[in-house]
Amino acid sequence: MRTFIALTLLIGTGIFTALFFGFDLKEASTTLEHDDEQTGIRDETIITFSHVVAEDTPKGRAARRFASLVEERTDGEIKVEIYSNASLYNDQNEYEALKNGQIQMIAPATSKLTERFPRWQVLDLPYAFPTYEAIQEAYEGTIGETLLKEVEQDQMKGLTFWYNGYKQMTHTNQPLLQTTDFERAHFRVMPSPVLKSQFESLGASASELPFNKTYTNLEVDFVNGQENTLSNIYSKKLYEKQNHLTVSNHGYLGYVVLMNEAFYESLSEEHQVIIEQALTETTDWIRRHSIEMNDAHLRAIKRDNLMDVHYLPNRQKQAWQQRFETVYNEYELMIGHHLMREVKRIQNEYN
Ligand code: LMR
């Protein structure tokens, strides 16, 4: 009987205390430990960023820089997963994958948009932009603005332009200096009709091939020359198949950074601001550092004797430019007077 009374008293006191002071669930929940194996407690957004070049290149390093800025500033709420060297998608299918939402971000060379948007060929015109300042004005001024607007038709968000460098010519077994050196040569080009015409105007022929097929096509001798930046020539070891390099600076290779628009719109305003800010900083960084990276690769090519390096003399450059006039005439209508006028204005300002 005494036990029964003690038990009743204990339960009664418990109920009275709980009713009087309340059950402090808030306090209880903050002191509870999370189960470490439980994933997905905090939502994480993944940005899959696919590109085709090596890690140690301007684009490869800029992608990593952008990823760490975004991850740090969103406190890990956004994670940028980078797939380099065409390990996920190559330059022939990455645009479609972005459009379909299979990935969220790409940064193709601007030439790769010309099939869909022919006016983008303005950036491929040979000797269009004579200095780095001229390139910046093209990308960040009227030309860039006009071109970025076009991609909206494809539900793409054109975020910024990234820099790589001037393209140089390489060939398997002969220096490319005189226009006659181009006769019978066959070049790999990116998919842009202007680039094909550029080589045809010099008396050569050209085939459009994906970047990651360039080495093997040089190896089997399907093509015997190509044009690219020093960082791409070096990082893809194209020097193993090419004996001659002509420093000609005859065209510029840069990138457009694109995001799937629906994905971008699905992000919170705060995250959009962080992404845009990270891109602005990364663009500033790549604009400055791409120049020294390409210079370093040229020094390495010379130091290790990887190719015979020739510099295009001014006299030959003028001969090339004379041939390129036909390219300007051929594409004026397709590119449009507005953009062509802007190219001429930039040329006059920086020449
Ligand atoms: C190429 O195809 O040569 C370039 O677009 C590669 C790159 O992305 O720099």
Side-chain angles (χ1 to χ4, degrees):
M1 183 62 183
R2 247 189 273 148
T3 318
F4 175 75
I5 293 170
L7 214 59
T8 312
L9 267 174
L10 197 69
I11 293 169
T13 316
I15 292 172
F16 174 78
T17 314
L19 286 174
F20 193 77
F21 294 105
F23 294 95
D24 193 352
L25 283 178
K26 195 161 143 268
E27 177 61 24
S29 70
T30 53
T31 55
L32 280 179
E33 293 291 312
H34 281 133
D35 178 352
D36 279 347
E37 286 168 25
Q38 183 86 15
T39 54
I41 287 174
R42 189 177 58 171
D43 278 345
E44 188 181 66
T45 303
I46 307 278
I47 295 180
T48 306
F49 184 171
S50 173
H51 70 77
V52 301
V53 294
E55 298 270 339
D56 194 18
T57 55
K59 179 162 62 178
R61 287 175 64 184
R64 287 211 308 275
R65 206 176 173 80
F66 166 75
S68 61
L69 286 176
V70 169
E71 284 176 27
E72 186 189 305
R73 291 178 188 172
T74 60
D75 200 17
E77 285 172 13
I78 298 187
K79 193 165 164 19
V80 183
E81 285 179 356
I82 301 167
Y83 293 85
S84 58
N85 283 309
S87 56
L88 192 58
Y89 290 99
N90 63 33
D91 42 14
Q92 288 175 310
N93 55 20
E94 63 179 10
Y95 190 89
E96 219 46 48
L98 182 69
K99 212 170 159 211
N100 298 337
Q102 284 149 314
I103 50 179
Q104 289 72 42
M105 196 167 167
I106 59 173
T110 56
S111 317
K112 298 192 179 149
L113 264 70
T114 60
E115 272 176 338
R116 291 184 126 81
F117 305 110
R119 291 205 295 172
W120 280 68
Q121 289 176 101
V122 66
L123 299 172
D124 288 329
L125 287 169
Y127 288 120
F129 307 109
T131 63
Y132 292 115
E133 291 77 20
I135 301 289
Q136 182 175 356
E137 186 145 346
Y139 281 177
E140 298 177 21
T142 308
I143 296 180
E145 259 168 46
T146 310
L147 298 179
L148 286 183
K149 267 217 129 347
E150 286 201 338
V151 302
E152 289 170 13
Q153 293 165 35
D154 255 356
Q155 287 78 50
M156 294 285 184
K157 176 114 182 125
L159 291 161
T160 185
F161 288 92
W162 276 357
Y163 297 76
N164 183 338
Y166 282 106
K167 289 180 289 182
Q168 320 299 349
M169 299 280 190
T170 67
H171 193 271
T172 311
N173 49 34
Q174 65 179 60
L176 297 166
L177 295 165
Q178 321 272 354
T179 50
T180 46
D181 296 335
F182 285 84
E183 288 162 14
R184 290 184 302 282
H186 186 47
F187 287 84
R188 175 267 167 176
V189 285
M190 293 184 278
S192 171
V194 160
L195 298 179
K196 258 186 136 172
S197 298
Q198 167 195 276
F199 283 107
E200 283 162 7
S201 75
L202 291 168
S205 55
S207 289
E208 294 173 357
L209 292 167
F211 181 55
N212 60 336
K213 295 273 166 28
T214 305
Y215 185 97
T216 41
N217 276 282
L218 287 168
E219 187 166 43
V220 299
D221 229 4
F222 173 66
V223 288
N224 52 20
Q226 65 86 47
E227 55 165 10
N228 222 312
T229 62
L230 292 153
S231 67
N232 280 344
I233 292 167
Y234 187 83
S235 60
K236 284 291 168 190
K237 298 190 177 166
L238 301 186
Y239 52 79
E240 289 181 352
K241 302 293 156 205
Q242 300 282 272
N243 292 319
H244 293 273
L245 168 78
T246 304
V247 178
S248 51
N249 294 331
H250 63 278
Y252 191 84
L253 191 156
Y255 307 106
V256 56
V257 182
L258 296 171
M259 227 180 223
N260 177 298
E261 194 170 40
F263 169 77
Y264 180 84
E265 294 305 334
S266 75
L267 297 170
S268 69
E269 211 168 293
E270 187 196 344
H271 283 170
Q272 288 177 356
V273 170
I274 290 174
I275 284 175
E276 302 252 1
Q277 182 59 34
L279 277 171
T280 305
E281 287 173 37
T282 312
T283 301
D284 284 345
W285 181 88
I286 195 173
R287 193 191 306 109
R288 282 180 284 120
H289 287 82
S290 54
I291 301 172
E292 71 200 31
M293 269 184 258
N294 279 293
D295 284 351
H297 284 132
L298 179 59
R299 280 198 300 278
I301 287 169
K302 288 206 242 177
R303 184 197 57 218
D304 299 338
N305 237 336
L306 300 175
M307 284 186 280
D308 287 349
V309 178
H310 317 275
Y311 286 85
L312 188 68
N314 231 350
R315 202 161 28 88
Q316 309 305 348
K317 178 180 165 183
Q318 280 164 11
W320 290 23
Q321 278 178 309
Q322 243 170 34
R323 297 290 191 95
F324 293 152
E325 277 170 21
T326 58
V327 183
Y328 277 71
N329 295 336
E330 194 182 337
Y331 289 88
E332 169 130 31
L333 215 59
M334 192 183 284
I335 289 169
H337 300 309
H338 166 63
L339 292 180
M340 289 303 269
R341 257 202 313 276
E342 190 55 16
V343 171
K344 302 245 165 77
R345 189 194 63 74
I346 294 176
Q347 283 175 346
N348 287 337
E349 192 177 334
Y350 292 97
N351 248 330

